[in-house]
Amino acid sequence: MRPVEEFLARYLFRLRLPTLVEEQRLRPIWRQVTGRAGVSEERYAIWIQEADEPNAVPTPGHLVGLTRWALYTLPPSHLEAVLAHEIGHHLGGRDWLSLLSFWYSIPARCALIGMRALGRLMKSVPAVGCVVVGFVLIGYVGVLVAVLTFDDSLVLPFLFLTPLVAPPILAWLGRREVLQADRRAAAMGYGATLIQVLYGWQLQHQQMVGRDTNRRSRLMSSAPSPAERVRALEALTAAA
C-alpha cells in the first residue's frame, strides 16, 4: 500500500518529500509528537505541501502532510502542535478505513471538481460558461428522466443525484474530521499551542479570527474556519 500512498501524495495531493535539512529539523519534533501520541515514529511518513496554510490537506493511509508555512515559520513548539493535529487525522487505528473511504469518494470528488470548474468558467467567461452549463444541465436532466422512466431500480437515479448531494456531505465530513483532529491534538496537550498557531496565522495574513465567510462558502468548505476551530479548542481547554 505504501507505493500507492506515495503515488497519491506526489501526483494527487501535490506533496513532496522533505529535504535532508528539513528532515533533520523535523526528526526530533516528530519523535516528541509520536511519543505523546503513543505510536511509532516510523509508522507515518511526513510529506511537505507547498502552501501558506496552518494545516495541510488531510491524507489517507500512512501519510502526514505538513505545509511549507508551518515548516519555515513556526517555532519548534508550535510546529509540534501542528504535527499533533496532522497525526490526529490518523489516530484510532483507522488508516485502512481512511484509505478505503478515500477511494470510494473519488466519483463524488470528481463531480465536485467538475462543478467548481463550471463555476469558474461562468465567472471568467459568462457567455461561454452559461452555454456550457446549459448543455450540461439539459443532458443531465435528459439522462435522469430516461433512467427514471425505463429503470425500475432506484440505484441509478440515486447515482445521478450524487453530484448534487455528495459535495455538501463531503465538505461536512471534512470539517468534522478537522475538528476531531484538533480534539485529538488537544487531548495530547497541544490545545493551547494550537490556538496560538491559528491566531498567529491569522495575524500574519492580516485576517480576523472572528470573521466568518458567507453561508454558502461555509457550507461547501472542506475545512472549518479558524474562528470555529479556535472556539472549539478554547472550549476544550477550558473544560480540561
Side-chain angles (χ1 to χ4, degrees), residues 41 48 63 68 76 87-88 90 109 144 147 149 161 210 212 216 231 233 236:
E41 62 181 293
I48 308 300
L63 304 176
R68 178 187 57 193
I87 201 175
H90 300 274
R109 293 176 186 272
L144 180 59
V147 170
T149 303
L161 291 175
D212 286 321
R216 180 181 177 277
R231 287 193 295 267
L233 285 168
L236 288 173

Side-chain angles (χ1 to χ4, degrees), residues 75-129:
S77 61
H78 288 194
L79 183 56
E80 191 176 327
V82 170
L83 285 172
H85 167 89
E86 301 301 344
I87 201 175
H89 286 286
H90 300 274
L91 292 181
R94 297 184 297 174
D95 299 323
W96 65 271
L97 182 60
S98 64
L99 190 58
L100 185 64
S101 63
F102 168 78
W103 282 113
Y104 277 105
S105 68
I106 285 180
R109 293 176 186 272
C110 292
L112 179 59
I113 292 173
M115 293 177 64
R116 287 177 175 173
L118 289 176
R120 289 194 297 269
L121 180 62
M122 290 185 65
K123 289 182 179 179
S124 59
V125 189
V128 177

Side-chain angles (χ1 to χ4, degrees), residues 69-211:
W69 178 86
L71 177 61
Y72 287 103
T73 305
L74 299 179
S77 61
H78 288 194
L79 183 56
E80 191 176 327
V82 170
L83 285 172
H85 167 89
E86 301 301 344
I87 201 175
H89 286 286
H90 300 274
L91 292 181
R94 297 184 297 174
D95 299 323
W96 65 271
L97 182 60
S98 64
L99 190 58
L100 185 64
S101 63
F102 168 78
W103 282 113
Y104 277 105
S105 68
I106 285 180
R109 293 176 186 272
C110 292
L112 179 59
I113 292 173
M115 293 177 64
R116 287 177 175 173
L118 289 176
R120 289 194 297 269
L121 180 62
M122 290 185 65
K123 289 182 179 179
S124 59
V125 189
V128 177
C130 290
V131 172
V132 173
V133 171
F135 276 114
V136 171
L137 288 178
I138 291 173
Y140 179 81
V141 172
V143 174
L144 180 59
V145 171
V147 170
L148 290 173
T149 303
F150 299 105
D151 197 320
D152 295 332
S153 174
L154 294 178
V155 176
L156 284 178
F158 178 78
L159 291 178
F160 274 97
L161 291 175
T162 298
L164 301 177
V165 177
I169 294 177
L170 287 175
W172 176 80
L173 289 174
R175 294 193 299 271
R176 179 174 176 270
E177 180 57 31
V178 171
L179 293 176
Q180 286 184 341
D182 282 344
R183 189 176 299 112
R184 292 168 188 145
M188 288 185 278
Y190 294 105
T193 310
L194 199 53
I195 291 174
Q196 295 175 9
V197 171
L198 293 171
Y199 271 111
W201 180 83
Q202 291 282 335
L203 291 174
Q204 181 173 329
H205 290 76
Q206 297 180 353
Q207 297 178 14
M208 295 181 60
V209 172
R211 181 188 300 166

Side-chain angles (χ1 to χ4, degrees), residues 46-67:
I46 300 178
W47 287 63
I48 308 300
Q49 181 182 6
E50 300 291 342
D52 292 327
E53 302 286 339
N55 297 114
V57 57
T59 52
H62 300 81
L63 304 176
V64 173
L66 181 68
T67 63

